[in-house]
Amino acid sequence: RVYREQRSQFEQDVSDQGGAPFVIRELNSAGELAPATERDEYVPVLYSQTKSLLSAPLGFDLLAQPLRRSALERAQKTGKLAVSQPMQLVGVEPAYATGVLLVAPVSHLPTSGESQNEPYGYVMAVISIHQLVAKGLPKPDRDNLMMQIVDTSDLHKRVLFESGTVESNSDLVGSRRLTLGDHVYALNLR
């Protein structure tokens, strides 16, 4: 977490450590990363480990967009893992760009009498739903299984993933409840 008055020094320190210019960034109207506007607080991506062929979105401010901000605020409030609503991911190949963020606050251990300290940062995992689920599925001509993952925590019961298989009228059906962070999902199989 970087506050307004710390931004300039923070950017300079990270630039000096990394040997390359570092700027806190946000998505502009064209969907490109550009220097972030002045705000009271920022949560920029500082470190990244990825298998993506695209460059990591270092400096991307997670507070600049509502879905990311909401997940961070829930993690901060509860002190526990929070999961975002489905969103377009940044720095991910287009085929895998829809996914969720898992966010956990990082805090110092509470001192006596404190229940929880304010986080000084967050650890985040970027999960592409398609990459996570579809890579293990059989080829379409051999697939006779319809799989669907539904976010039951959401009022609209959003479908996170649905296999491309045409649904059959089979009586062989199954459903499992999956809990991830502060969300509950239904895994439906037919």
Side-chain angles (χ1 to χ4, degrees):
R1 291 171 72 188
V2 178
Y3 298 99
R4 179 192 303 261
E5 62 276 5
Q6 300 169 325
R7 178 179 176 173
S8 178
Q9 187 62 51
F10 176 79
E11 289 173 335
Q12 185 61 50
D13 290 347
V14 175
S15 295
D16 292 346
Q17 290 171 9
F22 179 90
V23 176
I24 297 176
R25 306 180 295 169
E26 64 189 6
L27 293 175
N28 63 19
S29 59
E32 300 162 336
L33 287 171
T37 57
E38 280 279 316
R39 282 192 289 283
D40 290 336
E41 182 180 0
Y42 308 90
V43 177
V45 174
L46 185 57
Y47 303 105
S48 179
Q49 181 176 352
T50 180
K51 291 183 179 181
S52 173
L53 300 175
L54 303 176
S55 62
L58 296 180
F60 179 51
D61 181 19
L62 301 172
L63 292 179
Q65 294 189 311
L67 290 178
R68 290 171 174 85
R69 176 183 288 275
S70 174
L72 289 170
E73 287 172 347
R74 286 194 328 276
Q76 180 177 345
K77 182 178 179 182
T78 64
K80 297 180 181 175
L81 184 71
V83 182
S84 74
Q85 293 295 328
M87 66 177 64
Q88 288 302 111
L89 303 172
V90 176
V92 177
E93 288 86 1
Y96 303 126
T98 300
V100 296
L101 304 180
L102 277 74
V103 181
V106 178
S107 303
H108 295 288
L109 289 173
T111 58
S112 61
E114 288 183 330
S115 60
Q116 172 185 329
N117 286 325
E118 282 286 309
Y120 60 86
Y122 300 87
V123 173
M124 180 180 68
V126 176
I127 299 181
S128 163
I129 303 300
H130 180 75
Q131 189 173 22
L132 178 68
V133 178
K135 279 206 169 189
L137 295 179
K139 292 182 174 26
D141 62 337
R142 300 190 48 94
D143 189 7
N144 61 359
L145 180 69
M146 189 284 293
M147 181 171 63
Q148 183 183 62
I149 300 174
V150 179
D151 186 351
T152 62
S153 304
D154 181 22
L155 292 174
H156 304 292
K157 306 284 188 236
R158 288 195 176 113
V159 175
L160 264 68
F161 179 84
E162 192 165 46
S163 65
T165 307
V166 177
E167 192 172 333
S168 69
N169 292 328
S170 173
D171 291 335
L172 295 173
V173 297
S175 187
R176 292 282 188 256
R177 176 186 157 138
L178 306 172
T179 302
L180 180 61
D182 57 353
H183 280 243
V184 178
Y185 301 93
L187 172 64
N188 302 317
L189 301 170
R190 180 180 296 275

